[in-house]
Amino acid sequence: MTLATDANAGAAPLAAGFADPVHDAQSCFRAVMNAMARPGTRQAVSAGSLTPPAPLTPVAAALALTLFDYDTPVWLDRPLMTSEAVKSFLRFHTGAPIVSEPVEAAFALVAAPENMIPLASFNQGSAEYPDRSTTVILAGQSFEDLPAATLSGPGIRETERFSTGPVPPVFWDQVVANNRQFPRGIDLIFAGTAEVAALPRSTTVTPLEA
């Protein structure tokens, strides 16, 4: 198998990964770690020349190539799961096994966040191993002039206002319920067009009235 042809997708060309895998992955990883350390802040991410198959976005693809590997089961939402090109891209470049049940996933990749399944469907971790919960990546996010919340907790000096979308109408209520489980609960990463933001499960979330 070569980058030009993926046997699992017939003769369809397989999109290339990072041009500089070590440097690009390190840069993306730093952005994710900074986003986790400072919840609600936006961290620049360069997807370089990545042109993944739709509906996988370049920044979401960069996150996948950085965070996924052979030991991280991945769950895909319906638009991604029904794309053989997306699955071939992820399998080839990350080696991550793709699972059908969200509770089995170390990472979940969501291309249509407005239609995403409830956050409670994912692995919430356990009291003994809270770090085994799912990290959910929401792609195609915009951070301007959208339903917002006020954040407080570790990594935030006082409070931080954060907005993102598209998300389901009940999303912020689900996030509040998720964070009440701490130290259990999922972590969230939001992938925009050139930035990422994050809400770790340790963050206290207060939705703002529309």
Side-chain angles (χ1 to χ4, degrees):
M1 186 184 298
T2 69
L3 284 179
T5 304
D6 178 2
N8 292 328
L14 182 67
F18 284 136
D20 183 346
V22 173
H23 177 270
D24 292 344
Q26 288 177 340
S27 177
C28 185
F29 187 75
R30 283 194 298 270
V32 172
M33 291 300 97
N34 287 337
M36 283 289 187
R38 301 176 58 200
T41 64
R42 290 144 59 176
Q43 305 292 326
V45 169
S46 173
S49 59
L50 286 178
T51 55
L56 187 62
T57 66
V59 170
L63 292 171
L65 269 58
T66 299
L67 300 174
F68 301 176
D69 60 28
Y70 294 94
D71 294 323
T72 57
V74 174
W75 179 87
L76 307 176
D77 72 345
R78 185 172 182 81
L80 295 171
M81 184 63 88
T82 55
S83 169
E84 292 301 323
V86 167
K87 289 186 288 187
S88 294
F89 177 87
L90 294 174
R91 288 186 178 118
F92 185 92
H93 291 297
T94 74
I98 297 173
V99 297
S100 59
E101 297 298 328
V103 73
E104 298 174 353
F107 289 94
L109 194 52
V110 180
E114 64 274 21
N115 298 319
M116 69 184 294
I117 64 175
L119 299 183
S121 303
F122 299 103
N123 189 339
Q124 308 293 304
S126 65
E128 296 82 7
Y129 301 103
D131 58 324
R132 294 183 180 177
S133 64
T134 305
T135 297
V136 180
I137 300 171
L138 282 67
Q141 295 293 284
S142 173
F143 303 111
E144 302 290 347
D145 300 325
L146 291 158
T150 298
L151 314 180
S152 60
I156 301 171
R157 185 181 297 274
E158 294 182 358
T159 62
E160 181 82 30
R161 182 186 171 99
F162 178 65
S163 62
T164 192
V167 293
V170 296
F171 177 75
W172 290 111
D173 291 336
Q174 292 182 20
V175 173
V176 170
N178 176 69
N179 297 137
R180 285 174 179 160
Q181 301 181 87
F182 183 79
R184 298 174 63 241
I186 66 167
D187 294 324
L188 293 159
I189 299 175
F190 305 89
T193 55
E195 298 172 308
V196 296
L199 285 181
R201 57 188 179 274
S202 59
T203 303
T204 299
V205 177
T206 304
L208 299 176
E209 296 293 334

